[in-house]
Amino acid sequence: MKDNRPIIVYDGVCNLCNSSCNFILKRDKQKQFRLVALQSDEAKELIENYAITENTDSVILIHKNTYFIESDAVIEISRLLPFPWNWGVAFRIIPKNWRDSVYRQIAKHRYRWFGKQQTVCHIKE
């Protein structure tokens, strides 16, 4: 049977990313999300299958045969979470270039600000 749940591809060595995934899983009472570390073979296959730029430095959400990156991925993940977290969709009113600019700054400095693991953290769903 094919697993059609939304897939979050995250940086498995990033402390911010791991904490964010744990935050999501704690609130995902329906167990709808699958998590895949960016460093895994499965992530590489997904990136290739969806023709996502290989050097994407972003969380990726794959849902309903499409993918979302950067701030769109974060907003779409929040949309799929229960109340009140789904109110994150309100951030769509902010222009995408502004949202993505903030996202890229956080992504650029995430290891310095939040730390980095020596090995890939595989989050238990």
Side-chain angles (χ1 to χ4, degrees), residues 82-116:
F83 176 84
W85 312 109
N86 56 6
W87 284 10
V89 75
F91 284 101
R92 283 207 198 275
I93 66 169
I94 299 171
K96 181 176 172 44
N97 60 335
W98 293 3
R99 288 186 279 124
D100 285 346
S101 177
V102 170
Y103 181 95
R104 285 186 207 112
Q105 283 302 308
I106 294 169
K108 179 179 177 181
H109 299 289
R110 69 185 182 269
Y111 296 145
R112 185 167 23 127
W113 293 345
F114 301 99
K116 181 178 178 180

Side-chain angles (χ1 to χ4, degrees), residues 4 7 9 12 14 28 31 34-35 39 42 47-48 52 57 73-74 83 89-90 99-100 105 120:
N4 291 320
I7 302 168
V9 180
C14 170
D28 180 22
K31 306 293 182 217
R34 280 185 52 220
L35 299 171
Q39 295 80 3
E42 184 178 1
I47 288 168
E48 183 178 316
I52 300 168
D57 191 22
V74 174
F83 176 84
V89 75
R99 288 186 279 124
D100 285 346
Q105 283 302 308
V120 175

